[in-house]
Amino acid sequence: EEKSKALEYELFQELRQEVVRSTAVIQRCARALALIDCLAALAETAGKYHYVRPQISTRPILDIRDSRHPVLDARLQNEAFVPNDVHLDTADTQLAIITGPNMAGKSTYIRQVALLVIMAQMGSFIPARSACIGLTDRIFTRVGAADDISRGQSTFIVEMVETANILNHATPASLIILDEIGRGTSTFDGLSLAWAVAEFLHDNPQVKARTLFATHYHELTDLSLTKPGVKNFTVLVQEQ
């Protein structure tokens, strides 16, 4: 048994040395296989779920018709995903205020748009009827409500730190999705913060990014009366 174990270890050492000598070749093969696997998966998914090839533009535009959430589109069994359009630019429709009741799909919609932009820029087809997507340098998100107990940060502080990061680093080539800014504090304070953030994103030429702003503060819809780049949209629901 001892001789058997010694021989086994000796053979293992030889094999390991052989592998080390071929490390570069093995890594090249692994990278090639990984690339083929990724492209094949994207191609299979595109064919199975009827994705289309997006047109990539250097203009700061986002025009997607009948877009669908790539995950929900594949997972929903009993009913089809309801497609939605999105049109954003840095002039007429730079900041979209999205209202609607709870469970109507506001968060799903804005996340879906961000996912489709990422998919398009990584070279994938996307779930939509047609799409023209302007090159995006970064996607900024302020989604969800959670505190950070280990760092002693409340829900409100986490929200404000993330929002400040967006306001300080976004550019006109960025895409911003905001979900319920100001929910971590009182209603009037939250509304004031949400209003100020929306105004800053619209008025500051250095940060004038394409923005989707989902909110329960219906007062924000008044921004469209004085800000030409703000447009209001609402998610309708059908009761059965």
Side-chain angles (χ1 to χ4, degrees), residues 182-238:
R183 80 168 90 188
T185 185
S186 64
T187 302
F188 291 112
D189 289 350
L191 172 58
S192 301
L193 284 164
W195 188 290
V197 168
E199 279 194 333
F200 184 83
L201 291 174
H202 179 277
D203 296 342
N204 192 323
Q206 294 179 325
V207 193
K208 204 171 179 65
R210 293 160 291 175
T211 305
L212 293 171
F213 199 131
T215 184
H216 279 297
Y217 296 134
H218 285 265
E219 294 86 350
L220 290 180
T221 56
D222 288 345
L223 278 166
S224 64
L225 301 175
T226 55
K227 306 293 181 184
V230 176
K231 293 292 183 292
N232 295 322
F233 299 92
T234 186
V235 183
L236 298 178
V237 295
Q238 183 179 29

Side-chain angles (χ1 to χ4, degrees), residues 119-151:
M119 289 174 67
Q121 290 203 185
M122 66 182 268
S124 173
F125 284 30
I126 64 172
R129 179 164 53 86
S130 65
C132 180
I133 297 175
L135 286 172
T136 305
D137 59 3
R138 280 172 290 187
I139 296 177
F140 292 95
T141 67
R142 164 81 284 280
V143 176
D147 53 21
D148 191 344
I149 297 175
S150 62
R151 295 184 180 179

